[in-house]
Amino acid sequence: MIHTTIGIAGHLLVIIAFASALLAVFAYFKAGMTNAPIQEINTWKRFARATYMVHAAAVIGVVFSLYWIIGNHYFEYHYAWKNSSLSLPTGYTISSFWQEQEGSFLLWIFWNMVLGSILIFTNRSWEAPVMTVFALVQAFLTSMILGVVIPGLDLKIGSTPFLLLKEVMPDMPVWKMDPNFIPKDGNGMNPLLQNYWMVIHPPTLFLGFASTLIPFSFAIAGLWTKKLHEWIRPALPWALFSALILGVGILMGAYWAYETLNFGSYWNWDPVENSSIVPWMILVAAVHVMIIGRKNATALKTSFILTIATFILILYSTFMTRSGVLGNASVHSFTDLGLSGQLLIYLLTFTILSIALLVYRWKSLPSDEAEVSTYSQEFWIFIGATLLCLSGFQILATTSIPVYNAIAEAFGGVLNMALPADQIGHYNKFQLWFFSLIIILTGIGQFFWWKRVGQGKLQALYNPLLISLLISAGVITWWGVKDIQYIALLTAAIFAVVANGTILFNIIRGNYNLSGGAITHIGVALMLIGILFSSAYTKVVSINNSGLMISRSEEFTSNDNKENKENITLWLNKPEKMGEYMLTWRDVRIEPLHIPEYISKSWVDMIENDYKAVALRDIVVNEKKYYAKGDTLEVSPDNFYYEIDYRDPTGKIFTLFPRVQINPRMGGIVSSPDINRKLDKDLYTYVAMVTNPMAEPVWSPTENFTVSMRDTFFVNDYVAVLDNVVRTEEVEGVTLGKGDAAVKAMIRILDKEKEYIVTPSFVIRDRMVARKPEVSKDLGMRIQFQEINPQTGQFSFAVNTTQRDYIVMKATEKPLINILWLGTFVLVIGFVLATIRRFKDFVKMRDREAASTSKAKQKIKATPIA
């Protein structure tokens, strides 16, 4: 049965959400007109609030409808069929909600709705102007999932997630045979997104996107109502909150990339990555100037500019990643759903309106009477904010190259500009110097902020500088750092840790609530140290010393055979030396859904396209029996884990399980690493090539051998010896009865470093001959016991060979990467402390203003009328 009701309800709720958002815009706009009578303003405000609550309820209803469709596996809906499947665990079923554009827009709409509701009940004095902006943004966002066509104009607005599969793919032949056809299973989730970080990373990132709307709304409200200084106090804690959440979301994405993707790092300067970090950098710059914006006129103007720029850059990044303009430049970008025109209108509307309002009010903004002194707090904050903006501009200017090409093409021109071939080298060339200067300023700026130094009084900086130079010299000498830009960044970061640490030590003796800035700066400095060593000094340990070329593909032969030189080949159960380690590939394992460990693939028979397997033996893990032979068990789809033992020089063994996903839609195999984490470094391992574990072996033509006991014969370049033929009572897969007989041949096969015993069986059962071959995966060989000749005492064997199972893997060491993760933790703590402090300041001021207003009203009521 096709469940049309929930889809119709969901689509109707989207329309209600859109209409109520538009109505709320009008009502809040009317409530924000300060020249109207107070009674009229309150009436409009109550109406606007009720309308927004209708919008909030509709948004919740839309979210519920889509989750109901996905969670109940209604594969008649295109969104559920494309993004989920029956085999997905609950966590990934939840995250399939935001895998596509419509779901991610809905997630953004949901967070905006939540934040708007919080603002309504926490800041009534700013409600009307702030919520006008909020509701207008919601109207634009809900239009992205509206999915309606205007009659007569043939104009489609938005793309709805509530379309049936038949509506999206009307030309499928199956509809002619069965108009009510419903697929039994869905297409499933992108294998790379099947990671626990993807359950929490997108919601966090979109909360960060949504929260940038709050300081933007306060800035616009301040310009609108001429409260040119007052907007900063309520906006600042939210700006810090936004910087915290957006930063955490970006860091989650980096860690997901490190754990899941196989490019060997956490940041690749991908255009989509860049489009999220640039708004964050501008937002951090905005936070710094907002802190002094109420006291300094230049900072006030800059606060308006940067706060507005942050939100506009969020919209610009949305346009880049969702319009299809980055389709050939980034693996993370979405395809164009025909929304590029809407996205452009969305971007231009808020850009033009906000800039026009800022220009209109510019003359009303105060100006500083005196120039800012070089020894003042404001000067160093301005310099730091300027460098952050220049750093962001450099990233944005390069990232936007596809946009330049698209603009030229729209006007009939051709630019043919291309992104740098070596993106990492290109960005690092600039960003290393930018952040060297920025991180130095975090140390110097703290001393000026807390007035430890000033004009004619710089001595307090001498000790941190001397200590930093001594520590840097020691680290540079010990580590052998020779590149001048690395020396500069390392010295700057160490100085920032020492200088901010000195200030922090003095602060926490007084009031630790004031320590957020220093802690945050220390976190950034530690991150830079971790990034420097883990990226610049990554060491490839999987050096190919065999002298043989692994692959002639372009991927392996480009850059002077780089991948051929930096990958090694492992054969099943054959030890191979790699640097200081001895490696042995032991097995291919799979992931059962209800067993706490991986199990050998040989224990089960996989059922193709069903995510189930039949147990070929009793499955016992840690002395607990989970399944009996013949039982059916659920397995994680497409995932195979390659068990690789590492033996270090002390004899200690640890095992890694890099993952390979067999996925023709993704070009064959998709590799994910496994990581051995140590205090001073990570050993990062991933598999680049494998023999397909699901493919049946292709056997060579049969070779027949007739030999006597103790004879030697040659099979596939191996020496084989028939050692014995013995009677056996057990033959796997064969039940022997009374009167039946079976023998096993003991064939010893000599490899260069190891001997293998192969035992094919010859069975006489019910007077019928059965031949049980034995397959050795280690040798790529199948031997069948063919005949026994009692007269001659000879035995006949049939031998087939195939490609031996192998893997090609790469391993790198990433030194001191834990300093990066430690720095992220410290950074988050600093942001949390700073955010809490500013929220407390705002609440105190709000409550003080509310009390003052209440007293004034009571005084007016108590005044007698003459």
Side-chain angles (χ1 to χ4, degrees):
M1 182 182 71
I2 297 179
H3 304 85
T4 56
T5 304
I6 188 66
I8 293 171
H11 198 181
L12 178 61
L13 287 167
V14 173
I15 296 172
I16 293 172
F18 174 69
S20 56
L22 284 178
L23 196 56
V25 172
F26 179 77
Y28 271 123
F29 179 78
K30 295 291 288 184
M33 303 300 290
T34 54
N35 56 351
I38 188 66
Q39 187 175 357
E40 182 180 338
I41 289 174
N42 289 334
T43 301
W44 278 113
K45 189 179 290 187
R46 286 193 296 270
F47 177 71
R49 196 176 296 152
T51 306
Y52 190 84
M53 290 302 107
V54 170
H55 169 78
V59 169
I60 292 172
V62 176
V63 171
F64 173 82
S65 299
L66 188 55
Y67 263 127
W68 189 266
I69 288 171
I70 294 172
N72 286 288
H73 305 300
Y74 292 167
F75 295 124
E76 60 265 39
Y77 286 92
H78 180 260
Y79 199 91
W81 170 81
K82 186 178 181 182
N83 298 297
S84 67
S85 65
L86 294 172
S87 66
L88 281 181
T90 302
Y92 299 151
T93 300
I94 292 173
S95 59
S96 67
F97 176 93
W98 47 74
Q99 181 172 232
E100 288 293 318
Q101 287 216 48
E102 299 93 337
S104 58
F105 271 125
L106 185 51
L107 182 62
W108 193 350
I109 292 165
F110 173 78
W111 282 130
N112 268 357
M113 177 273 296
V114 171
L115 293 174
S117 301
I118 292 172
L119 285 177
I120 288 175
F121 293 103
T122 58
N123 205 331
R124 293 292 176 88
S125 62
W126 286 89
E127 180 184 351
V130 167
M131 290 308 298
T132 301
V133 181
F134 249 86
L136 184 58
V137 170
Q138 284 294 80
F140 271 99
L141 282 175
T142 49
S143 75
M144 298 298 169
I145 60 169
L146 199 55
V148 299
V149 178
I150 298 178
L153 298 178
D154 196 26
L155 176 64
K156 181 184 176 185
I157 302 177
S159 176
T160 177
F162 297 108
L163 288 175
L164 294 170
L165 188 63
K166 187 176 183 179
E167 294 173 310
V168 177
M169 307 170 74
D171 297 328
M172 287 177 61
V174 70
W175 308 125
K176 295 179 181 178
M177 297 179 287
D178 182 4
N180 295 318
F181 169 76
I182 299 175
K184 292 183 179 180
D185 201 357
N187 206 33
M189 179 180 279
N190 182 330
L192 293 177
L193 301 183
Q194 294 182 34
N195 181 282
Y196 62 94
W197 283 108
M198 293 311 295
V199 180
I200 55 176
H201 161 57
T204 306
L205 192 65
F206 276 99
L207 176 57
F209 287 168
S211 61
T212 61
L213 175 58
I214 300 180
F216 172 79
S217 298
F218 275 109
I220 297 300
L223 292 170
W224 176 8
T225 60
K226 296 184 182 180
K227 295 180 179 179
L228 302 177
H229 290 90
E230 294 86 343
W231 71 276
I232 288 182
R233 187 177 291 277
L236 181 56
W238 282 108
L240 280 162
F241 172 80
S242 181
L244 166 65
I245 299 300
L246 186 56
V248 168
I250 292 169
L251 289 169
M252 283 181 176
Y255 196 79
W256 163 74
Y258 182 65
E259 273 201 337
T260 306
L261 306 181
N262 63 13
F263 67 86
S265 189
Y266 34 79
W267 195 261
N268 204 32
W269 292 111
D270 182 271
V272 171
E273 296 172 349
N274 297 347
S275 67
S276 63
I277 198 172
V278 171
W280 181 80
M281 294 169 68
I282 304 303
L283 177 58
V284 171
V287 165
H288 284 79
V289 294
M290 286 169 72
I291 291 172
I292 58 172
R294 285 178 291 124
K295 299 178 181 179
N296 183 279
T298 304
L300 176 63
K301 293 177 179 177
T302 309
S303 298
F304 275 115
I305 293 170
L306 295 184
T307 303
I308 291 171
T310 299
F311 183 69
I312 297 303
L313 285 170
I314 290 290
L315 300 186
Y316 180 64
S317 69
T318 303
F319 171 75
M320 282 201 297
T321 56
R322 294 168 185 277
S323 64
V325 72
L326 295 179
N328 297 323
S330 171
V331 297
H332 303 295
S333 66
F334 290 94
T335 56
D336 184 14
L337 292 180
L339 302 179
S340 53
Q342 277 181 252
L343 289 167
L344 188 59
I345 293 172
Y346 184 19
L347 170 62
L348 292 177
T349 298
F350 283 93
T351 302
I352 293 170
L353 288 177
S354 56
I355 292 176
L357 184 57
L358 181 60
V359 171
Y360 179 73
R361 292 290 190 213
W362 191 260
K363 290 183 179 180
S364 302
L365 297 175
S367 299
D368 290 317
E369 296 179 0
E371 291 186 4
V372 176
S373 168
T374 308
Y375 297 95
S376 68
Q377 306 165 333
E378 292 84 357
F379 176 81
W380 294 101
I381 287 178
F382 272 126
I383 295 297
T386 302
L387 284 172
L388 269 171
C389 292
L390 288 173
S391 173
F393 177 77
Q394 187 275 321
I395 297 171
L396 188 67
T398 303
T399 304
S400 298
I401 285 175
V403 179
Y404 309 151
N405 291 333
I407 293 173
E409 186 179 340
F411 286 95
V414 178
L415 282 181
N416 284 333
M417 296 177 68
L419 290 167
D422 180 10
Q423 292 192 163
I424 295 176
H426 169 81
Y427 288 109
N428 286 352
K429 179 172 60 178
F430 295 96
Q431 295 303 315
L432 281 171
W433 292 110
F434 275 126
F435 273 92
S436 296
L437 294 172
I438 289 167
I439 205 65
I440 286 174
L441 288 175
T442 66
I444 296 175
Q446 282 287 294
F447 275 80
F448 280 98
W449 179 258
W450 294 104
K451 298 182 179 179
R452 306 289 181 186
V453 297
Q455 189 170 4
K457 193 179 89 172
L458 298 176
Q459 297 86 344
L461 276 170
Y462 294 166
N463 285 339
L465 180 60
L466 179 60
I467 293 170
S468 303
L469 290 174
L470 290 173
I471 295 173
S472 300
V475 175
I476 289 166
T477 303
W478 173 265
W479 209 269
V481 182
K482 298 178 181 179
D483 194 306
I484 186 64
Q485 57 185 349
Y486 298 158
I487 292 173
L489 181 61
L490 177 62
T491 305
I494 291 174
F495 170 74
V497 172
V498 174
N500 281 283
T502 303
I503 294 295
L504 178 62
F505 179 74
N506 291 316
I507 292 173
I508 59 177
R509 290 189 301 177
N511 184 357
Y512 75 92
N513 289 319
L514 304 176
S515 61
I519 293 175
T520 303
H521 295 156
I522 291 172
V524 174
L526 290 173
M527 288 177 65
L528 290 175
I529 294 171
I531 290 170
L532 170 62
F533 283 104
S534 63
S535 297
Y537 293 94
T538 291
K539 176 186 175 184
V540 178
V541 292
S542 55
I543 301 299
N544 180 9
N545 294 316
S546 69
L548 301 176
M549 183 177 288
I550 295 172
S551 172
R552 297 188 181 277
S553 67
E554 184 179 353
E555 179 185 355
F556 274 72
T557 57
S558 60
N559 298 323
D560 190 28
N561 271 315
K562 183 176 184 295
E563 295 304 314
N564 273 312
K565 295 175 182 177
E566 296 182 354
N567 282 266
I568 62 170
T569 303
L570 296 182
W571 305 94
L572 189 62
N573 289 319
K574 183 177 180 181
E576 186 74 32
K577 182 74 173 173
M578 186 191 77
E580 64 178 9
Y581 300 102
M582 183 63 73
L583 268 61
T584 308
W585 169 37
R586 294 294 186 190
D587 200 2
V588 180
R589 293 184 172 267
I590 61 170
E591 183 179 11
L593 295 186
H594 306 295
I595 298 179
E597 294 183 6
Y598 306 135
I599 63 171
S600 175
K601 178 183 171 293
S602 63
W603 291 7
V604 299
D605 183 17
M606 305 281 286
I607 303 174
E608 191 173 357
N609 297 325
D610 198 21
Y611 309 135
K612 291 183 175 64
V614 177
L616 299 177
R617 46 164 286 178
D618 291 349
I619 296 179
V620 180
V621 175
N622 295 328
E623 300 182 356
K624 179 179 178 181
K625 182 177 177 180
Y626 286 89
Y627 295 95
K629 181 179 179 180
D631 285 351
T632 299
L633 59 152
E634 294 180 278
V635 296
S636 181
D638 307 322
N639 294 338
F640 297 95
Y641 298 85
Y642 287 75
E643 180 184 2
I644 303 172
D645 285 349
Y646 281 75
R647 182 189 294 270
D648 66 19
T650 66
K652 184 179 179 181
I653 296 176
F654 61 88
T655 303
L656 294 181
F657 295 89
R659 183 180 68 177
V660 167
Q661 298 169 322
I662 308 299
N663 194 309
R665 290 179 297 151
M666 302 289 290
I669 71 167
V670 179
S671 301
S672 295
D674 198 10
I675 304 166
N676 176 251
R677 293 175 171 84
K678 298 181 180 178
L679 188 62
D680 61 335
K681 64 185 176 184
D682 278 0
L683 180 63
Y684 184 98
T685 302
Y686 72 90
V687 175
M689 294 172 60
V690 299
T691 48
N692 189 341
M694 291 297 290
E696 291 294 328
V698 178
W699 296 103
S700 67
T702 301
E703 284 188 86
N704 293 299
F705 298 90
T706 300
V707 295
S708 300
M709 201 73 72
R710 303 293 181 184
D711 275 358
T712 298
F713 54 104
F714 297 90
V715 181
N716 198 26
D717 297 330
Y718 296 108
V719 176
V721 180
L722 177 60
D723 280 340
N724 204 353
V725 177
V726 298
R727 186 179 180 88
T728 180
E729 300 297 330
E730 294 182 0
V731 176
E732 186 178 355
V734 179
T735 303
L736 298 176
K738 187 176 180 180
D740 296 338
V743 295
K744 279 187 178 179
M746 311 295 290
I747 302 175
R748 181 161 44 100
I749 299 177
L750 310 179
D751 195 4
K752 293 178 182 178
E753 297 152 353
K754 185 178 178 181
E755 292 186 359
Y756 298 87
I757 302 297
V758 182
T759 58
S761 303
F762 186 89
V763 180
I764 299 176
R765 182 169 177 268
D766 296 334
R767 299 185 180 182
M768 301 288 290
V769 173
R771 300 172 177 86
K772 177 70 175 176
E774 179 155 341
V775 176
S776 171
K777 288 189 175 181
D778 295 4
L779 299 170
M781 187 182 301
R782 179 177 66 189
I783 301 180
Q784 189 173 52
F785 198 155
Q786 290 288 90
E787 299 291 344
I788 302 174
N789 192 328
Q791 287 79 22
T792 62
Q794 291 184 313
F795 307 89
S796 297
F797 301 95
V799 180
N800 305 91
T801 58
T802 188
Q803 169 69 59
R804 292 168 61 193
D805 287 346
Y806 71 93
I807 61 173
V808 174
M809 57 155 280
K810 187 171 185 176
T812 57
E813 288 181 345
K814 297 191 171 297
L816 303 184
I817 193 169
N818 284 323
I819 296 179
L820 165 60
W821 309 131
L822 173 64
T824 62
F825 182 69
V826 174
L827 173 75
V828 170
I829 291 176
F831 262 121
V832 169
L833 289 174
T835 303
I836 291 173
R837 177 198 166 195
R838 294 296 175 178
F839 267 115
K840 286 181 177 179
D841 289 346
F842 159 68
V843 169
K844 287 179 182 178
M845 179 59 70
R846 183 197 63 185
D847 293 345
R848 194 179 303 131
E849 290 175 351
S852 176
T853 303
S854 178
K855 286 181 180 179
K857 288 181 178 179
Q858 290 175 6
K859 187 175 181 180
I860 292 172
K861 289 180 180 180
T863 302
I865 300 174

